[in-house]
Amino acid sequence: MNMYKVLVTARSFGKTDSKAKELLEAHGCEVIKLEAGALSIEEQLAKEIADADAVIAGLEDYTPELLKRAKKLKVISRYGVGYDKVDVGAAKEQGIAVTITPGANGDSVADLAMALMLDGARNVTIMDNSIKNRAQKRPSGVEMWQKTLGIIGAGRIGQGVGRRCRGFDMKILCYDTYRSEEFKRECGAQYVDLETLLRESDFITIHSPLTPETKHMISTEQFKMMKKDAVIVNTARGGIVDEDALYEALKSGEIRAAGLDATVTEPPYDSPLMMLENCILTPHAGAATAEASSKMSYMAAQNALEVLENGSSKFAVNE
């Protein structure tokens, strides 16, 4: 007889291999994967959560109203590192741990940030679309070689981008409250204030959490500080960049290009950014690799089991 009911809403959970599901089942869990169909995942979750012991969660919202339905829930095991979709205060009040999987998708997200910077620099998407539309374009690009990279949020993923950019012989500037001496030694990184980073960087990559302090951290004033050929990439969370201000900066040519894997509304089908050639939009797919899926699935399963069996997890964010 199964001891625990575990709901899974993370779309790529277990798609690379079955190790995470097997781990849960070996520890007495009934694993129920929610898939969008006649009912949305959110609608199914509202029905199923009442008697669930754990959720391995994707990007849906966990509001106080939803959590009130969760009479048995012990853990929301986030599939990734962001947890802004979870009301952690309400979860804590109900004794529900919220856990994350730090490091599991870092390499995949860092790779995508590089891809978006290169695309913005060399107009890959613009040229691809022009060829496919039988209206060839060959717009002038810029090089990444020996330019300056600005990292906003120089944690695991930000440092990963910095290490990759050392292959381009780039100067590395960082803006973060925590300063890694090891990263400074390894990559020659310099920690500076935000204004200095924005004024001096040719490429800017964002890896901060979304908090009241970081919301609209990059807005009209900040775009005015940037170089005309600057390329900005956000693979973190929508809302850190003020999208209305970004639209104006891109449309007016105040900066060269932007690459967004995270937007306020996902997917951003109704955003004016959809109309701009120099804004590359991807569907929050930084972790969409076989390697990241396997690591995140297994780590999320481990985190859920730690809470279910031991009452806590070292990766809990609200204990």
Side-chain angles (χ1 to χ4, degrees):
M1 180 177 176
N2 293 317
M3 293 186 291
Y4 305 112
K5 175 180 175 179
V6 180
L7 303 179
V8 178
T9 64
R11 286 173 293 181
S12 63
F13 179 88
K15 288 200 172 176
T16 300
D17 56 55
S18 60
K19 293 177 184 177
K21 186 171 185 287
E22 290 170 359
L23 175 67
L24 291 168
E25 290 175 341
H27 285 255
C29 297
E30 177 191 10
V31 181
I32 301 172
K33 180 81 180 288
L34 304 184
E35 305 273 7
L39 294 178
S40 68
I41 287 177
E42 289 79 8
E43 289 170 325
Q44 294 175 60
L45 182 61
K47 289 176 177 290
E48 296 280 355
I49 203 169
D51 61 350
D53 297 285
V55 180
I56 295 178
L59 292 171
E60 61 281 347
D61 290 314
Y62 288 81
T63 63
E65 293 72 27
L66 176 62
L67 294 177
K68 284 177 184 175
R69 298 171 177 256
K71 304 301 182 184
K72 294 176 60 183
L73 196 66
K74 299 294 187 296
V75 56
I76 299 170
S77 180
R78 268 286 296 118
Y79 190 81
V81 294
Y83 52 92
D84 51 285
K85 296 285 189 176
V86 182
D87 190 316
V88 292
K92 185 173 183 177
E93 283 183 13
Q94 291 185 216
I96 302 168
V98 179
T99 63
I100 58 174
T101 58
N105 66 355
D107 286 329
S108 295
V109 176
D111 283 355
L112 181 61
M114 292 296 298
L116 291 171
M117 284 191 285
L118 282 163
D119 193 346
R122 294 306 312 271
N123 308 299
V124 176
T125 298
I126 293 173
M127 292 188 291
D128 175 69
N129 287 335
S130 74
I131 291 286
K132 290 175 179 175
N133 289 324
R134 297 178 178 271
Q136 176 178 294
K137 294 181 181 179
R138 192 180 285 110
S140 177
V142 294
E143 296 179 356
M144 285 183 66
W145 178 250
Q146 294 185 335
K147 295 294 177 62
T148 297
L149 172 72
I151 304 172
I152 299 175
R156 289 181 182 88
I157 299 173
Q159 289 181 28
V161 177
R163 291 186 179 95
R164 284 158 175 78
C165 284
R166 287 299 294 156
F168 287 80
D169 198 26
M170 296 179 80
K171 177 181 177 181
I172 311 294
L173 301 180
C174 302
Y175 173 71
D176 202 310
T177 53
Y178 171 76
R179 300 189 175 197
S180 169
E181 295 301 320
E182 180 183 354
F183 185 53
K184 286 170 67 175
R185 289 191 301 270
E186 179 185 353
C187 293
Q190 301 174 36
Y191 285 82
V192 297
D193 59 73
L194 183 58
E195 182 173 337
T196 299
L197 183 147
L198 296 174
R199 290 190 186 283
E200 296 186 9
S201 297
D202 301 289
F203 295 85
I204 298 167
T205 183
I206 299 172
H207 303 284
S208 299
L210 178 62
T211 67
E213 292 71 34
T214 63
K215 184 177 181 181
H216 289 186
M217 174 193 289
I218 307 300
S219 191
T220 302
E221 182 181 352
Q222 288 71 36
F223 287 121
K224 291 184 183 302
M225 297 178 187
M226 296 179 193
K227 295 181 179 181
K228 187 176 178 63
D229 268 329
V231 175
I232 187 167
V233 165
N234 182 13
T235 56
R237 282 290 182 269
I240 297 172
V241 176
D242 179 342
E243 292 178 7
D244 291 336
L246 175 62
Y247 174 82
E248 295 300 331
L250 290 169
K251 186 179 179 183
S252 67
E254 197 162 52
I255 63 171
R256 165 175 282 272
L260 305 180
D261 189 47
T263 50
V264 174
T265 301
E266 295 177 350
Y269 292 152
D270 296 321
S271 170
L273 294 171
M274 292 273 290
M275 303 298 107
L276 299 178
E277 277 192 324
N278 56 344
C279 187
I280 307 146
L281 297 165
T282 55
H284 211 129
T289 64
E291 294 86 352
S293 174
S294 179
K295 287 185 281 189
M296 282 197 297
S297 295
Y298 200 81
M299 194 170 178
Q302 285 180 314
N303 290 345
L305 287 173
E306 283 181 1
V307 176
L308 291 174
E309 297 180 344
N310 304 319
S312 64
S313 168
K314 63 182 176 181
F315 294 120
V317 298
N318 68 333
E319 289 188 340

